[in-house]
C-alpha cells in the first residue's frame, strides 16, 4: 500500500469494474443532476481522465448530531460508497471510518502533513466552556479545526451548524457555538470557506461541490469562489427561494390556502403559507433537488418549510431557529436581541390605542374649549416674539 | 496494569471517549465519557410548544424521529391532546422505517468492521463465495466485482475511510473463511443502498431524513395518497425481504465464529424500556415493543417514569442538588477537567430506581420476550437454538446477545411496518383516515416516553403562558454511557466493559466492540 | 371663533391630484398588504399581489413627481393667503415656523388658549409631512428587500444582512405600515377637527373664506371678504 504516483482517476474506476460506457453514463447523469448541459460531459470526462490521484479530504465533526453524515449516506447519484471510495479519499470521517482512537487521529495528521486536502466540517464550532464543550483525543475541537483548516485547500462547511452555529447557536447559545467562517476569521486563517446550510445538509449539494472540484477543476482555477454569494454559498444552489420553485406556488397565486391541518384544503394540497411556511424567506433549491434521492421533501410531505436553510455566517442572530421560531406561525414579532421580541401589530395596537385615546380626549378638549368650529382665535403675534418684545420693551 | 484509552470511539453518533484499566488481559475498570456539550434544553425554553418537536429531534442525526415523537408526545400530554387513529399508524410507519434504517446502518456500516476484515476478503475465492452464500441462505451479488473494487482500493494505496484500520487484528476470528469476509463486505456496500431506501420512506412521509417534519402536535401533516403509500409499501417490502434473506442469515453465519462474545459484555443485567409503536390503547405496556423494567433476574415489571433520576457528581455540571427527577433537574454546565476520579463526562448519570439500567434493542427484546410477544419469542427461541443455547435467554445478556437482539428486532419491526401500511390502506378503502386533532395551546406539564433504535428516550415539557417553561430530555445514549453515580456505581456501558478480554492494549478491539454494541 | 381662509393657492390643482393618488394608493397598499401578510379569505392572492406592486409603483412615482413639482410649482406661503412662492420653500420649515414648536405643543395640550400663528403648516404638522417622504422610501426599500427578483442586489443584500434576513425585513415592512396608518389617522383628525374646510379644499378644491394672513404668516387684518 505504498504511496506512489497513481494512474488516472478513470483508470482507477476501470480497475474497480467501471466500464467506459458506464463511466460516460455516470458523467452524463452527474451533469444532468447539476443542471449542466450535455455539452459539458466531454469536459468532465477529460477532467477526470487527466487526474492523477483521488482528492484527499477530511471530514471533521464539531458540535454535530451526525445528521449531515447520515445525510451524505443517503445520496445515490453517485452513492456514498462511490464518493468515499472512488471520488474522494476521505481519510478521517469519525462516524463511518474504520480506524478509532489514536490511529484515527494519525490518519488525520498524515493527511494534514501532506496538504492539498479539502476539509469538510460538520456541526458547529464549540467555543463554549473555554473550548471544552467539545474535546477529542485530549484536544479542544477548536484547536483541531484551526490546524486542519489552515492547511486545507478549501473548507466545506456542511449544514447550518457549520455555517453559523445553527440551532446550537440559538439563544441563549449555551455552548458558545459559532460557524466555521466566523471562527477562521477570528483566528486569522484565510482558507476559503464554502457554506452549505440547511439542517442537515442536502447531500446533492456536497456531490455538486465534489463535481465542481474534481471534474470541472473549479477549485484549482479558483472559479468556484467566484460563484459564491455574499454568504459564501454557491449561487446555483442558494440563488432562488423555495417559494419561487414550490410546486404549490400556483395555489398561492390563486389564493388557495391551508388554514388548518386536517382540513379539506390540506387534503387538496393547497399552499401552506398561512400555517407559517418559511418558503418565501428561505433560499435553497430543495423543491428542485428534493431530499432522500428525490423521494420527497418537506412541503410535498405536507409540512410548511421551517427555513432550516436560513443562516448568516457574517453576524450573530441569523441562525434558522432564532429567525424561524415560532415555526408554524406567520411571523409578527421583530426580535430585538437582548430586549426580547416586539410585535409591530401589538406596538401599533398600543401606540394606536394611546393615540386614539389621545385624539378622543383631545376632541373632547376641543369641544370643551370651543375650538371645534373654526378653531381658537389666533394669537396676535408669536408668543416668543411677544415675550421678546415685552422684554425688549422693559429694557 | 495499563490504562487504555480509545478517543474518539468512531463509528458511533457523536463523540465518545472510552478509558479502561487492563489487568492480566482483561478490563478491570472503565470510564466512559461523552465529550460534547450543546445545551439543547436551554435553546428550547421560552419558545412555542410546537417548536420543541423541530429543535429537539436535532439532538441526534441518527434517531431524530424518536426524539421528535417523544417531544410531540410530551407536548400533547402537557396540553391534553389525543391523536387520531390514522396519525398513530403514520407515526408508527415513520418510526418503523427509522428503526429499519438505523439497525441496518449500525450492523453493516458501523459495527461490521469489528468482525469483518476487508483485507481478508481479498483472499476469497469468488466461486466458493457463491457456494457459501447459498449454503448460508444469504443474498448473492457480483462478488467478483466487489473483490476487484476492494483490490483496486488496496492497490491504489489511498484507503479513504479504511485508513489506519486494524487489518489483520488477532481478534478477527481466525477460522472465519475469507469467503464469509467477502460476503460481508459485499453486503456492507449493499446495505448502504438498503438503509437509504428505508430513509426514503421517511423522505416520502416525513419530508426528509435525517430530521423530519410531519409528526406535529395533534397528529400528522402527512396526507396519505394511493401513490405515496404505494411508494412506501414497495420500499418496505424490499427492505423486509432483504433483512430476512440477507441481514439475518449474515448474522447467523458470522455469529458462530464469535461465540466467545457470549461470555462478556453483558453489563448490569438491569434493563429498561419505555416501549415503542403504539397500539390503539396508547398504553406503554401494550405497545408492539412493550415498556418494562428488568431489575431483578429475568422478571419484568411495569415502568414508572417517576423513578428516573440523574446524578451529576461525575459530570461537568455544578448543580447544587443531584439525584433529581429530569423534570426538576437543571443543567448548569461547568467544565473542570477530565479526571476519572472526579468529573469526567458531559453525560449525566441517569438511573432508574437508583440503578444503572441498560436501554436499547436488548432491553426491548428481553422485555417483549418476557411479556410474551409471540413474534419476538419465535425469533429469539430460533436464534438461541442456532447458537446451541435453546431455552436460555439469559445468554443474550452479552456482547453477542446485544448484537443479535438488534438484528432480530429489525426483522420484527420490518413485518410490523408493512402491517401498518396495510392498515392505512384498508382504512382508506373504508373511507377517510383521521390524521389531526384540532387543539388550543394550554398550560400544563407532560412527558413523552418512547424508544429510539438505540434505546429509551424521554422528553419532559412544561408549558406556561403558552410558552415552554421547562424542557428536559433523557436521551437513549445518556442511559447507556452514564458515568458513575454518587456512590461510584458504574454506568451500564462501563459495567459491560468489565471482564472484556484485551489481547493488544494498543488495539483493544473487544473494548470497541462492547462499547459499540450499545450503538451509542 | 375664526379660521383662516382656504384658498386654492394653498393646494394647487396638481397637488390635489397627487394627494388623491397618495390616498388611493396607500389604502390599496395597506389593504392588499394585510391580505398578503395573512390571506384571511381565499382566492385573492394573485390580485392582492398585483395591486400591491402596481400601487407601490404608483405611490413611488407619484411621490417622486410630487417632490420634483415642489421645485417648480408655486403655492401659498401661508394658509389664508394668496401670496405664493415655490412650493418646496413652503414644505420645508419656513421663517414663520421659527420659535413656534413650544407654542404648538402647548396649544395641542390646551395649555395655550389662542391658536399659534402658523406658516403654511404648524411645526409638528410640517415635521410629520416631511417624515412621510423617507418613510415611504423606507417602505419601498424594505418591500424590494423581500421581493425575490431584486433581493440579491448588493443594495438590498446589505439591508437584509443588517436585520438578519428577509423574515425580519418583512416585519419591519409591516411595522412601517402601522406607522403610516397611525400617521394617517392623526393627520385626518387634526386636519378636520377644526372644521372640514381643509378637506373640501384638498379633495374637492373648494375654497372657503376666513381670516386673511400676510406672506409672513402674520394677521393681515380682517377677513378676506
Amino acid at each position: 500500500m505504498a504511496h506512489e504516483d497513481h494512474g488516472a482517476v478513470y483508470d482507477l474506476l476501470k480497475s474497480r469494474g467501471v466500464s467506459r460506457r458506464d463511466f460516460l453514463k455516470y458523467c452524463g447523469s452527474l451533469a444532468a443532476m447539476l443542471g449542466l448541459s450535455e455539452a459539458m460531459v466531454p469536459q468532465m470526462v477529460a477532467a477526470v481522465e487527466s487526474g492523477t490521484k483521488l482528492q484527499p479530504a477530511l471530514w471533521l465533526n464539531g458540535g454535530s448530531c451526525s445528521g449531515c453524515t447520515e445525510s451524505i449516506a443517503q445520496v445515490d447519484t453517485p452513492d456514498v460508497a462511490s464518493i468515499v471510495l472512488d471520488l474522494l479519499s476521505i481519510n478521517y470521517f469519525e462516524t463511518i471510518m474504520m480506524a478509532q482512537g489514536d490511529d484515527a487521529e494519525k490518519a488525520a495528521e498524515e493527511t494534514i502533513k501532506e496538504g492539498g486536502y479539502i476539509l469538510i466540517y460538520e456541526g458547529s464550532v464549540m467555543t463554549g466552556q473555554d473550548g471544552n464543550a467539545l474535546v477529542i483525543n485530549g484536544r479542544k475541537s477548536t484547536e483541531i479545526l484551526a490546524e486542519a483548516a489552515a492547511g486545507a485547500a478549501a473548507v466545506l462547511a456542511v449544514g447550518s451548524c457549520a455555517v453559523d452555529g445553527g440551532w446550537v447557536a440559538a439563544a441563549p447559545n449555551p455552548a458558545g457555538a459559532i460557524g466555521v467562517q466566523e471562527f477562521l476569521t477570528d483566528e486569522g486563517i484565510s482558507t476559503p470557506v464554502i457554506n452549505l446550510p440547511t439542517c442537515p445538509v442536502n447531500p446533492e449539494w456536497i456531490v455538486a461541490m465534489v463535481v465542481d472540484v474534481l471534474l470541472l477543476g473549479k477549485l484549482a482555477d479558483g472559479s468556484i469562489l467566484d460563484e459564491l454569494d455574499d454568504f459564501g454559498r454557491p449561487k446555483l444552489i442558494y440563488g432562488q427561494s423555495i417559494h419561487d420553485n414550490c410546486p404549490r406556488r400556483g395555489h398561492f397565486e390563486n389564493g388557495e390556502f391551508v388554514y388548518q391541518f386536517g382540513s379539506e384544503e390540506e387534503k387538496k394540497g393547497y399552499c401552506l403559507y398561512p400555517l407559517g411556511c418559511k418558503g418565501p424567506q428561505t433560499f435553497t433549491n430543495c423543491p428542485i433537488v428534493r431530499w432522500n434521492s428525490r423521494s420527497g421533501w418537506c412541503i410535498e410531505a405536507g409540512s410548511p418549510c421551517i427555513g432550516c436553510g436560513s443562516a448568516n455566517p457574517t453576524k450573530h442572530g441569523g441562525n434558522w431557529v432564532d429567525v424561524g421560531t415560532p415555526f408554524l406561525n406567520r411571523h409578527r414579532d421583530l426580535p430585538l436581541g437582548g430586549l426580547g421580541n416586539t410585535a409591530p401589530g401589538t406596538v401599533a395596537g398600543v401606540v394606536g390605542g394611546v393615540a386614539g385615546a389621545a385624539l378622543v380626549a383631545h376632541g373632547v378638549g376641543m369641544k370643551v374649549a370651543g375650538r371645534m368650529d373654526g378653531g381658537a382665535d389666533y394669537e396676535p403675534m408669536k408668543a416668543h416674539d411677544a415675550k421678546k418684545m415685552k422684554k425688549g420693551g422693559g429694557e | 496494569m495499563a490504562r487504555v484509552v480509545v478517543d474518539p470511539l468512531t463509528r458511533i453518533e457523536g463523540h465518545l471517549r472510552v478509558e479502561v484499566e487492563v489487568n492480566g488481559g482483561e478490563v478491570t475498570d472503565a470510564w466512559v465519557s461523552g465529550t460534547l456539550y450543546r445545551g439543547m434544553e436551554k435553546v428550547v425554553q421560552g419558545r412555542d410548544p410546537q417548536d420543541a418537536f423541530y429543535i429537539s429531534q436535532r439532538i441526534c442525526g441518527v434517531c431524530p424521529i424518536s426524539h421528535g415523537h417523544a417531544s410531540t408526545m410530551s407536548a400533547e400530554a402537557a396540553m391534553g391532546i389525543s391523536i387520531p387513529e390514522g396519525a398513530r399508524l403514520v407515526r408508527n410507519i415513520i418510526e418503523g422505517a427509522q428503526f429499519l434504517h438505523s439497525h441496518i446502518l449500525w450492523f453493516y456500516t458501523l459495527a461490521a468492521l469489528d468482525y469483518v476484515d476487508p483485507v481478508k476478503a481479498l483472499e476469497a475465492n469468488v466461486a466458493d463465495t457463491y457456494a457459501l452464500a447459498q449454503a448460508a441462505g444469504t443474498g448473492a451479488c457480483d462478488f467478483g466485482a466487489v473483490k476487484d473494487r476492494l483490490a483496486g482500493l488496496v492497490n491504489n494505496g489511498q484507503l479513504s475511510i479504511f485508513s489506519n484500520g486494524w487489518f489483520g487484528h488477532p481478534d478477527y476470528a481466525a477460522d472465519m473463511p475469507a469467503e464469509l469476509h467477502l460476503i460481508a463486505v459485499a453486503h456492507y456496500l449493499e446495505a448502504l443502498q438498503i438503509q437509504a431506501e428505508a430513509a426514503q420512506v421517511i423522505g416520502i412521509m416525513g419530508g426528509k431524513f435525517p430530521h423530519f417534519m410531519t409528526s406535529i402536535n395533534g397528529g400528522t401533516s402527512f396526507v396519505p395518497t394511493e401513490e405515496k403509500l404505494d411508494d412506501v409499501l414497495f420500499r418496505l417490502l424490499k427492505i423486509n425481504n432483504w433483512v430476512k434473506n440477507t441481514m439475518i442469515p449474515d448474522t447467523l453465519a458470522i455469529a458462530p465464529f464469535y461465540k466467545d462474545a457470549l461470555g462478556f459484555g453483558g453489563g448490569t443485567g438491569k434493563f429498561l424500556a419505555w416501549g415503542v409503536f403504539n397500539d390503539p390503547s396508547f398504553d406503554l405496556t401494550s405497545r408492539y415493543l412493550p415498556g418494562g423494567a428488568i431489575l431483578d433476574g429475568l422478571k419484568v415489571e411495569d415502568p414508572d417514569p417517576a423513578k428516573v433520576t440523574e446524578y451529576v457528581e461525575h459530570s461537568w455540571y455544578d448543580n447544587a442538588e443531584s439525584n433529581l427527577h429530569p423534570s426538576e433537574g437543571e443543567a448548569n454546565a461547568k467544565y473542570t477537567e477530565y479526571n476519572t476520579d472526579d468529573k469526567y463526562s458531559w453525560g449525566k448519570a441517569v438511573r432508574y430506581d437508583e440503578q444503572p439500567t441498560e436501554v436499547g434493542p436488548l432491553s426491548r427484546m428481553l422485555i417483549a420476550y418476557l411479556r410474551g410477544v409471540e413474534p419476538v419469542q419465535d425469533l429469539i427461541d430460533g436464534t438461541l437454538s442456532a447458537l446451541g443455547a435453546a431455552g436460555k435467554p439469559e445468554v443474550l445478556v452479552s456482547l453477542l446477545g446485544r448484537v443479535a437482539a438488534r438484528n432480530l428486532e429489525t426483522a420484527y419491526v420490518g413485518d410490523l411496518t408493512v402491517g401498518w401500511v396495510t392498515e392505512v390502506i384498508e382504512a382508506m378503502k373504508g373511507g377517510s383516515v383521521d390524521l389531526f386533532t384540532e387543539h388550543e395551546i394550554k398550560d400544563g406539564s407532560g412527558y413523552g416516553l418512547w424508544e429510539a433504535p438505540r434505546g429509551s428516550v424521554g422528553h419532559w415539557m412544561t408549558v406556561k403562558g403558552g410558552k415552554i417553561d421547562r424542557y428536559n430530555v433523557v436521551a437513549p445514549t445518556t442511559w447507556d454511557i452514564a458515568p458513575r453515580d454518587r456512590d461510584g456505581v458504574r454506568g451500564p456501558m462501563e459495567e459491560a466493559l468489565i471482564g472484556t478480554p484485551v489481547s493488544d492494549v494498543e488495539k483493544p478491539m473487544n473494548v470497541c466492540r462492547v462499547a459499540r454494541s450499545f450503538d451509542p | 371663533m375664526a379660521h383662516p381662509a382656504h384658498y386654492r393657492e394653498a393646494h394647487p390643482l396638481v397637488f390635489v391630484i397627487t394627494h388623491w393618488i397618495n390616498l388611493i394608493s396607500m389604502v390599496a397598499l395597506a389593504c392588499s398588504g394585510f391580505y398578503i401578510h395573512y390571506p384571511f379569505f381565499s382566492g385573492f392572492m394573485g390580485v392582492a399581489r398585483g395591486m400591491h406592486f402596481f400601487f407601490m409603483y404608483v405611490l413611488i412615482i407619484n411621490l417622486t413627481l410630487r417632490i420634483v413639482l415642489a421645485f417648480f410649482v408655486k403655492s401659498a406661503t401661508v394658509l389664508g393667503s394668496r401670496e405664493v412662492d415655490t412650493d418646496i420653500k413652503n414644505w420645508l420649515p419656513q421663517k414663520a415656523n421659527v420659535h413656534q414648536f413650544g407654542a404648538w405643543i402647548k396649544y395641542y395640550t390646551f395649555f395655550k388658549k389662542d391658536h399659534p400663528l402658523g406658516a403654511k403648516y404648524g411645526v409638528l404638522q410640517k415635521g410629520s409631512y416631511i417624515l412621510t417622504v423617507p418613510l415611504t422610501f423606507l417602505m419601498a426599500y424594505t418591500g424590494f428587500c423581500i421581493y425575490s427578483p431584486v433581493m440579491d442586489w448588493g443594495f438590498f443584500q446589505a439591508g437584509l444582512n443588517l436585520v438578519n434576513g428577509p423574515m425580519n425585513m418583512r416585519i419591519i415592512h409591516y411595522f412601517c405600515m402601522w406607522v403610516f396608518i397611525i400617521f394617517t389617522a392623526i393627520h385626518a383628525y387634526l386636519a378636520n377637527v377644526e372644521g372640514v374646510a381643509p378637506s373640501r379644499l384638498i379633495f374637492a378644491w373648494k375654497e372657503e373664506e376666513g381670516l386673511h394672513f400676510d406672506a409672513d404668516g402674520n394677521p393681515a387684518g380682517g377677513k378676506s371678504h
Side-chain angles (χ1 to χ4, degrees), chain A residues 6 54 62 65 70 73 84 86 90 94 97-101 103 129 133 137 199 292 297 300 322 325 327, chain B residues 7-8 10-11 15 37 47 51 58 61 101 149 156 158 160-161 164 166 195 207-209 228 335 516:
Chain A
H6 308 295
L54 294 186
C65 68
E70 263 279 0
V84 301
D86 306 338
I90 306 187
E94 200 171 327
M97 74 187 298
M98 185 170 177
Q100 46 230 324
D103 289 319
Q129 303 287 322
N137 202 253
C199 182
N292 295 94
W297 70 291
E300 183 174 316
D322 281 340
T325 50
F327 292 120
Chain B
D7 181 12
T10 54
R11 281 181 276 131
H15 301 276
Y37 168 73
R47 300 185 199 267
D51 294 336
R58 284 164 164 87
H101 158 85
R149 193 178 191 186
N156 170 249
Q158 283 185 288
S160 193
I161 57 167
N164 282 6
W166 293 343
Q195 60 83 22
K208 67 193 200 337
F209 182 86
K228 284 178 179 162
Y335 184 84
R516 210 168 269 129

Side-chain angles (χ1 to χ4, degrees), chain B residues 296-356:
Chain B
D296 179 19
L298 284 187
K299 278 182 298 194
V300 64
E301 56 184 72
D302 288 353
D304 177 5
K307 289 184 178 171
V308 179
T309 54
E310 295 174 310
Y311 291 94
V312 292
E313 279 77 7
H314 293 278
S315 319
W316 290 308
Y317 301 95
D318 65 352
N319 295 9
E321 282 182 275
S322 184
N323 200 23
L324 293 175
H325 187 261
S327 68
E328 297 165 345
E330 185 90 38
N332 301 314
K334 182 86 180 72
Y335 184 84
T336 44
E337 57 164 350
Y338 177 85
N339 180 353
T340 52
D341 294 329
D342 185 15
K343 290 177 183 277
Y344 61 92
S345 180
W346 283 115
K348 292 180 224 167
V350 58
R351 295 291 189 261
Y352 181 81
D353 205 10
E354 313 243 334
Q355 309 197 54

Side-chain angles (χ1 to χ4, degrees), chain A residues 17-367:
Chain A
V18 180
S19 73
R20 179 156 180 96
R21 196 169 153 271
D22 284 345
F23 173 63
L24 289 174
K25 232 167 68 187
Y26 172 67
C27 290
S29 67
L30 278 177
M33 192 202 83
L34 291 170
L36 301 172
S37 97
E38 282 290 316
M40 293 294 284
V41 173
Q43 193 189 330
M44 291 166 67
V45 173
V48 173
E49 287 185 339
S50 66
T52 53
K53 75 187 254 212
L54 294 186
Q55 168 68 48
L58 297 176
W59 184 301
L60 299 187
N61 286 54
S64 82
C65 68
S66 306
C68 293
T69 300
E70 263 279 0
S71 196
I72 190 80
Q74 310 305 322
V75 75
D76 69 339
T77 53
D79 70 321
V80 65
S82 301
I83 293 171
V84 301
L85 301 179
D86 306 338
L87 288 174
L88 297 175
S89 183
I90 306 187
N91 301 332
Y92 187 92
F93 201 154
E94 200 171 327
T95 313
I96 59 174
M97 74 187 298
M98 185 170 177
Q100 46 230 324
D102 295 345
D103 289 319
E105 296 305 303
K106 269 179 212 141
E109 273 167 37
E110 283 161 20
T111 309
I112 292 171
K113 211 181 289 167
E114 284 184 26
Y117 55 90
I118 297 170
L119 173 63
I120 303 171
Y121 202 82
E122 167 184 0
S124 29
V125 182
M126 307 303 288
T127 66
Q129 303 287 322
D130 197 25
N132 291 303
L134 175 57
V135 176
I136 301 167
N137 202 253
R139 294 173 71 198
K140 291 175 182 174
S141 66
T142 45
E143 277 171 32
I144 298 174
L145 170 59
E147 188 196 352
V155 182
L156 220 52
V158 300
S160 296
C161 292
V163 174
D164 70 350
W167 73 259
V168 193
N173 193 359
I178 59 172
V180 172
Q181 184 176 316
E182 182 187 348
F183 176 74
L184 297 188
T185 308
D186 291 350
E187 296 282 306
I189 296 166
S190 58
T191 311
V193 179
I194 298 169
N195 286 316
L196 299 177
T198 62
C199 182
V201 68
N202 190 321
E204 307 275 351
W205 305 333
I206 299 182
V207 174
M209 291 301 104
V210 169
V211 170
D212 273 357
V213 171
L214 295 188
L215 301 188
L216 304 178
K218 285 190 180 174
L219 183 57
D221 67 13
S223 62
I224 199 167
L225 303 175
D226 300 335
E227 294 168 9
L228 304 179
D229 65 14
D230 292 351
F231 287 174
R233 304 174 302 183
K235 288 180 199 161
L236 185 73
I237 298 168
Y238 296 93
Q240 292 178 3
S241 75
I242 285 176
H243 190 52
D244 285 345
N245 289 313
C246 184
R248 300 193 185 198
R249 179 60 185 258
H251 293 301
F252 173 84
E253 296 298 344
N254 293 344
E256 294 168 330
F257 297 104
V258 182
Y259 295 97
Q260 175 64 53
F261 292 111
S263 63
E264 278 307 306
E265 289 79 10
E266 185 193 32
K267 289 201 178 72
K268 289 178 184 159
Y270 283 176
C271 174
L272 297 162
Y273 181 78
L275 294 173
C277 183
K278 305 293 179 282
Q281 289 85 32
T282 310
F283 291 75
T284 74
N285 63 4
C286 292
I288 296 166
V289 300
R290 300 150 65 84
W291 283 79
N292 295 94
S293 310
R294 302 159 305 287
S295 66
W297 70 291
C298 307
I299 290 173
E300 183 174 316
S303 168
C305 169
I306 57 168
C308 72
S310 293
N312 187 342
T314 65
K315 65 197 283 279
H316 293 169
N319 67 78
W320 65 273
V321 167
D322 281 340
V323 165
T325 50
F327 292 120
L328 297 190
N329 289 88
R330 295 280 304 137
H331 279 206
R332 297 180 174 89
D333 290 7
L334 188 66
L336 296 176
L339 300 173
N341 288 353
T342 174
T346 314
V347 173
V350 172
V351 173
V354 170
L359 292 189
V360 169
H362 193 259
V364 171
M366 291 293 275
K367 187 86 189 162

Side-chain angles (χ1 to χ4, degrees), chain C residues 94-151:
Chain C
Q94 292 163 277
K95 202 177 154 207
N97 289 121
V98 180
H99 301 308
Q100 288 293 72
F101 182 74
W104 277 106
I105 298 276
K106 281 188 201 159
Y107 176 69
Y108 284 138
T109 50
F110 302 102
F111 287 104
K112 178 173 164 63
K113 204 163 169 249
D114 46 3
H115 196 295
L117 284 173
K120 183 159 180 185
Y121 307 118
V123 175
L124 291 169
Q125 194 180 8
K126 192 166 264 187
S128 68
Y129 291 0
I130 292 169
L131 279 176
T132 55
V133 175
L135 184 64
T136 310
F137 284 118
L138 179 64
M139 203 71 184
Y141 176 80
T142 54
F144 277 119
C145 280
I146 52 176
Y147 180 45
S148 64
V150 298
M151 64 195 295

